[in-house]
Amino acid sequence: DTACLIIPNGCVGLPTLAALEQEIPVIAVRENHNRMKNDLEKLPFGPGKLFIVENYLEAVGIMTSLKAGVNPSAVRRPLA
């Protein structure tokens, strides 16, 4: 019953790999500094399953839009 996973940017562990395998969206937060330096964009996430944001406020916005069924790219500028 996990809707999404919020992690520090660059952090790859069992929860991240499980979310990847089960196609659960992952939100990586850049302001949460850590010693791991993994490039999450090199992992085979499906379209719309990896979001890299600057802070937790943005993470909550992405999480809320996913919960509401709104594509996060529909509320970001510039509009596609």
Side-chain angles (χ1 to χ4, degrees):
D1 293 340
T2 303
C4 69
L5 176 67
I6 300 175
I7 61 171
N9 190 34
C11 186
V12 175
L14 292 177
T16 306
L17 297 175
L20 174 65
E21 181 179 324
Q22 297 175 34
E23 297 186 7
I24 295 171
V26 173
I27 304 170
V29 180
R30 285 189 178 130
E31 80 174 359
N32 191 340
H33 301 286
N34 61 78
R35 294 190 179 264
M36 297 189 86
K37 303 297 180 204
N38 299 296
D39 186 357
L40 296 172
E41 295 184 65
K42 290 185 178 178
L43 294 174
F45 283 99
K49 297 298 180 184
L50 175 64
F51 303 93
I52 299 176
V53 299
E54 292 299 321
N55 54 53
Y56 282 98
L57 184 58
E58 286 184 52
V60 170
I62 295 287
M63 186 175 61
T64 302
S65 68
L66 292 172
K67 184 176 179 181
V70 175
N71 187 335
S73 66
V75 294
R76 294 198 65 146
R77 299 284 191 251
L79 295 175

